[in-house]
Amino acid sequence: MLVDSPPEERAAVAAAPPTRRGARALGLLLSAVILVLVALASIAVGAKELSLDQVWHGLFQDSGTYGDVVVGERLSRTLLGLLAGAALGLSGAVLQALTRNPLADPGILGINAGASAAVVTAITYFGVTSLSGYVWFAFLGAAAVGALVWFLGGGRGATPVRLALAGTAIGAALYGYLQAVMIMDDAALGKMRFWTVGSLASATDATIVQVLPFCLAGTVLALLLARPLNAVAMGDDTARALGVNLNRTRALAMLAATVLCGAATAACGPIVFVGLMVPHVVRSFTGPDLRWILPYATILSPVLLLGADVVGRLVARPAEVQVGVVTAIIGGPVFILLVRRRRTAQL
């Protein structure tokens, strides 16, 4: 544990109805079953029509045409979707707790903008053309922006408002730089057009291996921060009274969100709304306790991402609609609904 559970929190947990904790645990198990089913659908369904028998042979017996499609393409795509979805959902939940804003998402700290700006720089000025090269530049860009936002937000004296303002300002500046470079360089525009939409189509074993350590490290750190972030969400004075080190918690939360969002963005491009929608929906039936929100977000965010990817493969056969487009189409109306509900609740 990063922070010992304070007496007040232990008392609250002990007083929580066992039936509600049991219902949450059962819901988590059900969510895991849904994730398994969606992952199987991602392997079985694609732009190229295959029967279930062909999928089975491609997965376990055939190393030829079916194996190339099922194992070489769909399985890698599904695994990357699992990693990226969990990373985006967790980073969104952490940032919503850190900024005390339930409508926050990874883009609020400029992390997506940092990754995108680094990729366009790599293409234009360093001649990087492979996805394996994009990954490292994107991750470094996300990490650099995360550190800069932390510094401009006040460092050890950072507050949720300062962090959000610094991230928004840096993100706007970087997107301006990105658009300027792409307009002046046709080659960069052509290569960036596919990446900036957000896609799982370029998934490879090498990409998964590159981002896996970052996703695992960020996930472990985020889950360990659940208790101190619970206290931070109640306000600085309350958190201090409960014995939480605010500076350390905020710094570690920034690190976890940057690592998770940076890894997902590096591998798939800037996929929007996953980190916003899933934690917000989860909070509606788990309550504000991050010890439940974070595990639920880890499981249900890949459900959304893989489900959107499957839909994108089906609606435009034999072509496909990239997953970033599908999540944006779904996320736009959902975001408007969330904002309207929030305004209604405040009236």
Side-chain angles (χ1 to χ4, degrees), residues 12-134:
V13 171
T19 53
R20 186 173 184 183
R21 293 201 299 271
R24 287 169 173 172
L26 182 60
L28 200 60
L29 179 61
L30 179 61
S31 299
V33 172
I34 294 172
L35 176 60
V36 171
L37 294 176
V38 173
L40 291 176
S42 178
I43 296 173
V45 178
K48 181 179 177 63
E49 290 193 47
L50 295 177
S51 68
L52 292 179
D53 184 62
Q54 290 171 331
V55 172
W56 178 266
H57 279 79
L59 193 58
F60 295 106
Q61 300 176 19
D62 185 7
S63 60
T65 303
Y66 298 148
D68 291 341
V69 173
V70 176
V71 177
E73 297 178 13
R74 294 184 187 175
L75 183 59
S76 297
R77 188 169 182 159
T78 300
L79 292 175
L80 183 59
L82 291 171
L83 289 176
L88 290 171
L90 265 178
S91 63
V94 168
L95 289 176
Q96 287 174 12
L98 179 65
T99 61
R100 297 202 285 271
N101 181 359
L103 299 181
D105 76 334
I108 199 171
L109 295 185
I111 296 172
N112 287 346
S116 300
V119 169
V120 78
T121 299
I123 292 172
T124 305
Y125 299 110
F126 298 101
V128 178
T129 58
S130 66
L131 182 63
S132 60
Y134 296 167

Side-chain angles (χ1 to χ4, degrees), residues 111-179:
I111 296 172
N112 287 346
S116 300
V119 169
V120 78
T121 299
I123 292 172
T124 305
Y125 299 110
F126 298 101
V128 178
T129 58
S130 66
L131 182 63
S132 60
Y134 296 167
V135 167
W136 295 108
F137 275 92
F139 187 80
L140 288 173
V145 169
L148 184 58
V149 168
W150 175 252
F151 174 75
L152 293 179
R156 293 176 63 85
T159 64
V161 173
R162 287 181 180 179
L163 291 174
L165 290 175
T168 301
I170 293 172
L174 288 176
Y175 276 124
Y177 162 77
L178 187 150
Q179 294 298 324

